[in-house]
Amino acid sequence: MKPSVGLWLLALLLHTAASAQTPGTNPFGAAPQVAPLPPKTTYVLAGHLLDATNDSVQQTMVITVEGERIKAVASAANVKIPAGANVIDLSHYSVLPGLIDCHTHLSARADRYNEIYKFKDTPFDHAFGAVVNARKTLEAGFTSVRDVGSPPFLAVDLRKNINEGLIPGPRIVASGPGISITGGHGDLNNFSPQTRVSMFPDERNFQIADGVDQIRHVVRAQVKYGVDVIKIHSTGGVLSRGDSPGAPQFTLEELKAAAETAHMAGRKIAAHAHGTEGIKNAILAGIDSVEHASLIDDEGIRLAKEHGTYLVMDIYNDDYILNEAPKVGLPQENIDKEKMVGQLQRQNFEKAVKAGVKMAFGTDAGVYPHGDNARQFYYMVKFGMTPVQAIRAATSNAADLIGRSADVGTIESGKYADIIAVHADPLTDVRSLEHVDFVMKGGTVYKDSRHE
Ligand SMILES: [Zn+2]
């Protein structure tokens, strides 16, 4: 249809609608003038504010929240709060931006590792778990997550339902299933060849791809169903069977095709990589973040710096995998693999921090119970970060990695009002972040257990 014809039709429709309204038939007389309600204004009194735009803490500040967003941040001395205004008093608290975990699996459960559930669980079981876990994550102070691996396309639907306000949860940057080679970290290995678990055989569960053409196809198919980010397995894994965490699983050429196709679609791409060579391949392919990065060597660290690649190193969950997961059915093969990489990963984290590589906070939540995400801060500080560095890895730097710096990651005018508060000073005791007393997301309070 030509634009002029369209406009003409529109004019005709408007004319018809106008003449259908006979003046004087409205029982209220003239058409009511409904003014939109002004957005609700809330004044948040922040005793100690780490806004994460820099490393310093400001005292006695006021954050003015209008609707979903922050309108102003100023010293209390310069803010005149009108009488009767809505005030949230966090003057005895340390106030920070909502935290961001760049590596979660909201649909995954850590309370049972028996392989039988790979066959018993339905997509609905996964989704019910995700609803519960989304709330736990939000109430732990994580107002945004990048969810990097779930059944197709659970994270996309979870994002939609949270954004529509149907269920409470963090903002979600959603991936599809992690893309894997046949027999790789994302495949179901070592069972009878007659065994199949696949909802979409033609698409190989939107997950398994071999060779450049299949990779381009699966990335495009995931984009078609609404993912924000692509996840690909560059090496073997710890919690899969029959593969080695150290071994590369895609060629450099295949990873390049994945990165190029993702970027062409305006998506970032994250690579799961434990092994030294697979880490370097991911960086050289132009992938935006390396997940785990357990066995990164000096050359890998140098390459990550040179390419500006983020490392997302999950250095808490080793405790859980070795101490708790075996009690709930984790097979010996996986325990052995964790023993190979867990401690080395912590040492290599320290080297990467010293070298000044870009780091974003990510924990692999779902491997350990959701809601315990902040337990990783302790290890980040133990292995070389200052508390403020660790906090910025989970706020401003994480927002940069997930491409959401315009909306989240700092407490600044124009950003979403994603605000948390803790009672003790997180810069002297980073573990205080494990006990978040107040959570606001988009101007709405989701948790308030303030105390003296
Ligand atoms: Zn993971």
Side-chain angles (χ1 to χ4, degrees):
M1 193 187 288
K2 284 182 191 159
S4 56
V5 179
L7 282 174
W8 178 82
L9 259 181
L10 182 67
L12 180 71
L13 284 169
L14 286 173
H15 176 76
T16 314
S19 29
Q21 177 97 24
T22 319
T25 54
N26 186 329
F28 297 99
Q33 297 288 311
V34 182
L37 280 173
K40 192 178 136 198
T41 301
T42 302
Y43 297 87
V44 180
L45 313 184
H48 319 281
L49 175 66
L50 175 64
D51 65 17
T53 62
N54 57 56
D55 291 355
S56 69
V57 176
Q58 297 165 283
Q59 310 298 333
T60 325
M61 302 292 286
V62 175
I63 306 162
T64 307
V65 176
E66 202 175 85
E68 290 191 304
R69 295 203 181 242
I70 296 166
K71 195 185 172 199
V73 183
S75 168
N78 300 327
V79 182
K80 209 168 162 350
I81 299 175
N86 187 30
V87 173
I88 294 173
D89 186 357
L90 299 173
S91 54
H92 299 291
Y93 278 82
S94 290
V95 176
L96 307 94
L99 302 169
I100 303 169
D101 191 329
C102 297
H103 193 126
T104 68
H105 302 276
L106 287 174
S107 60
R109 290 174 57 167
D111 59 335
R112 45 178 215 189
Y113 272 92
N114 194 306
E115 288 179 304
I116 191 68
Y117 293 107
K118 289 182 175 155
F119 305 94
K120 290 180 89 165
D121 283 347
T122 67
F124 308 106
D125 290 321
H126 290 284
F128 293 137
V131 169
V132 173
N133 297 331
R135 173 176 220 141
K136 283 184 183 167
T137 304
L138 179 62
E139 289 178 350
F142 288 80
T143 51
S144 299
V145 302
R146 188 180 61 161
D147 201 68
V148 285
S150 55
F153 284 94
L154 186 149
V156 171
D157 293 343
L158 187 63
R159 178 190 73 200
K160 182 181 74 181
N161 283 278
I162 289 171
N163 288 348
E164 287 177 355
L166 193 70
I167 52 172
R171 304 178 193 284
I172 289 181
V173 172
S175 89
I179 300 167
S180 167
I181 59 165
T182 294
H185 179 48
D187 205 349
L188 187 67
N189 306 324
N190 292 9
F191 291 103
S192 151
Q194 277 68 43
T195 305
R196 298 264 190 288
V197 172
S198 181
M199 288 189 292
F200 306 100
D202 292 344
E203 292 282 359
R204 307 178 82 196
N205 221 18
F206 296 99
Q207 181 162 30
I208 308 300
D210 298 297
V212 165
D213 287 347
Q214 288 187 6
I215 287 170
R216 287 195 198 284
H217 172 76
V218 76
V219 171
R220 288 169 181 156
Q222 290 200 358
V223 169
K224 167 178 161 138
Y225 290 104
V227 303
D228 300 304
V229 62
I230 299 296
K231 167 87 177 294
I232 190 163
H233 298 311
S234 174
T235 73
V238 169
L239 298 178
S240 44
R241 299 295 296 270
D243 65 342
S244 159
Q249 290 197 340
F250 278 113
T251 64
L252 177 58
E253 190 198 10
E254 288 172 316
L255 293 171
K256 274 185 179 163
E260 194 184 276
T261 313
H263 290 155
M264 207 183 283
R267 293 341 193 245
K268 292 202 181 196
I269 176 167
H272 156 110
H274 289 286
T276 313
E277 189 185 340
I279 291 168
K280 292 180 208 175
N281 284 344
I283 296 168
L284 293 171
I287 279 168
D288 300 286
S289 66
V290 175
E291 312 298 304
H292 313 297
S294 311
L295 306 177
I296 193 167
D297 65 2
D298 290 345
E299 193 193 359
I301 286 173
R302 186 179 59 72
L303 285 172
K305 263 198 95 163
E306 196 179 299
H307 289 253
T309 314
Y310 269 97
L311 302 185
V312 179
M313 298 179 74
D314 51 331
I315 59 170
Y316 157 65
N317 62 45
D318 183 57
D319 284 14
Y320 189 85
I321 295 173
L322 294 183
N323 299 320
E324 302 304 322
K327 296 178 198 161
V328 286
L330 185 69
Q332 190 60 41
E333 176 188 341
N334 306 111
I335 299 167
D336 293 342
K337 289 202 275 188
E338 180 61 28
K339 282 182 180 160
M340 277 168 51
V341 301
Q343 280 311 311
L344 283 172
Q345 187 193 30
R346 290 174 176 185
Q347 291 162 18
N348 290 332
F349 174 87
E350 191 158 17
K351 281 190 198 165
V353 170
K354 276 211 181 91
V357 179
K358 289 205 251 177
M359 306 284 251
F361 184 97
T363 63
D364 221 353
V367 162
Y368 68 87
H370 297 273
D372 288 348
N373 313 52
R375 290 189 183 186
Q376 185 168 289
F377 286 110
Y378 167 78
Y379 287 97
M380 293 169 88
V381 171
K382 185 174 175 185
F383 289 94
M385 279 188 170
T386 62
V388 75
Q389 258 182 310
I391 290 167
R392 293 197 67 188
T395 52
S396 48
N397 294 348
D400 180 45
L401 168 59
I402 65 175
R404 298 290 162 92
S405 291
D407 288 325
V408 299
T410 58
I411 294 181
E412 276 182 284
S413 163
K415 302 269 171 105
Y416 279 124
D418 293 359
I419 296 167
I420 65 164
V422 293
H423 205 258
D425 176 11
L427 298 191
T428 51
D429 176 16
V430 84
R431 298 201 89 149
S432 67
L433 294 169
E434 295 172 20
H435 311 283
V436 170
D437 286 320
F438 176 86
V439 179
M440 173 185 273
K441 183 191 132 202
T444 300
V445 177
Y446 285 91
K447 182 182 187 180
D448 190 356
S449 47
R450 280 176 283 166
H451 55 92
E452 274 314 298

